[in-house]
Amino acid sequence: DIVMTQTPLSLSVTPGEPASISCRSSRRLDEVISLDWYVQKPGQSPHVLLYRVSNLASGVPDRFSGSGSGTDFTLKISRVEAEDVGIYYCMQRVEFPLTFGQGTRLEIK
Amino acid sequence: EVQLLESGGGLVQPGGSLRLSCEASGFTFDRYDMTWVRQAPGKGLEWVSLIGGGGGGTYYAGSVKGRFTISRDISKNTLYLQMNSLRAEDTAAYYCVKRTLESYMDVWGKGTTVTVSS
């Protein structure tokens, strides 16, 4: 199975400051660049933020961006807002079983 | 509006069975991959199973293979997850999720909770 490892597992950010979450896969994801990012806000179901590494899902503000290739991927928030509180997950879909990272909890200072 | 509504969760004893349902609306149900993702209390997301759109195949996480069966009834626009030989570690919220044609998960239900306990 492809193991997805996120760092950090938690971060606390002042509003207006940037934030960055790393996701590393145990195997290269080059084939179709099938790496997506999801967020689960408190009390809600998860929803997609970015697909295929860097494509913003519908309705997602452009302060979110994604980058990376091979085994290393990054989610960046240019200016964190209070509504960004939640747990962020990367997920690979190159092969089955689909696998998620452990999740990164974002808190606001 | 695209909607997914799960049902069928509840309390079941270890070794027991349960069938989850997910009623879909607002899209051509047969066309898309559908998947189940679960989340144990206080834990992260775990993919469970997927059924391909347009008569595609079925896929399972190793932890449920041989015990769970995913299926869909096109006439009822409903996705199912038959869960047998349930274990305490199957306790979780189960989300029904639709995939886009690009294969990312774009619509999530609100989830249904399964508790396996004696």
Side-chain angles (χ1 to χ4, degrees):
Chain A
D1 298 0
I2 297 176
V3 176
M4 307 299 289
T5 303
Q6 290 181 228
T7 53
L9 297 184
S10 68
L11 69 165
S12 183
V13 182
T14 301
E17 293 297 304
S20 179
I21 300 170
S22 172
C23 174
R24 175 166 289 178
S25 61
S26 61
R27 228 176 294 164
R28 294 180 69 85
L29 304 182
D30 283 317
E31 296 159 25
V32 288
I33 319 178
S34 291
L35 186 286
D36 308 318
W37 289 93
Y38 298 87
V39 62
Q40 186 174 30
K41 296 186 178 181
Q44 296 183 17
S45 301
H47 67 266
V48 63
L49 281 174
L50 295 142
Y51 61 95
R52 231 182 323 121
V53 178
S54 60
N55 294 270
L56 279 176
S58 177
V60 175
D62 61 6
R63 63 177 182 277
F64 289 90
S65 64
S67 62
S69 65
T71 60
D72 293 297
F73 303 87
T74 303
L75 169 69
K76 290 184 178 178
I77 310 174
S78 58
R79 295 173 306 279
V80 169
E81 297 187 5
E83 66 181 29
D84 298 334
V85 165
I87 303 176
Y88 292 76
Y89 298 91
C90 61
M91 193 207 79
Q92 68 78 22
R93 49 183 168 83
V94 166
E95 66 179 43
F96 293 104
L98 309 183
T99 47
F100 290 90
Q102 319 96 299
T104 296
R105 183 180 299 273
L106 174 64
E107 297 176 340
I108 303 299
K109 282 183 183 176
Chain B
E1 181 189 3
V2 176
Q3 286 192 324
L4 300 171
L5 184 61
E6 304 96 333
S7 61
L11 175 63
V12 61
Q13 292 189 338
S17 297
L18 213 53
R19 188 178 80 160
L20 305 184
S21 300
C22 170
E23 188 173 341
S25 59
F27 63 101
T28 306
F29 181 60
D30 183 45
R31 189 177 183 201
Y32 296 92
D33 297 347
M34 296 295 297
T35 187
W36 290 96
V37 174
R38 69 184 180 184
Q39 186 171 36
K43 302 296 184 182
L45 302 174
E46 180 188 15
W47 172 77
V48 173
S49 182
L50 180 144
I51 184 166
T58 57
Y59 305 87
Y60 298 93
S63 57
V64 307
K65 198 167 189 177
R67 301 188 299 122
F68 289 13
T69 302
I70 191 171
S71 62
R72 69 204 302 169
D73 185 332
I74 307 304
S75 67
K76 295 181 179 178
N77 274 7
T78 300
L79 176 73
Y80 300 103
L81 185 68
Q82 177 66 44
M83 304 186 296
N84 298 331
S85 303
L86 282 161
R87 307 166 179 166
E89 53 265 36
D90 296 317
T91 294
Y94 284 74
Y95 295 100
C96 169
V97 191
K98 170 188 167 290
R99 295 215 305 182
T100 68
L101 295 178
E102 291 194 68
S103 297
Y104 64 91
M105 301 179 186
D106 67 331
V107 181
W108 296 64
K110 294 189 184 303
T112 187
T113 299
V114 173
T115 302
V116 184
S117 174
S118 55

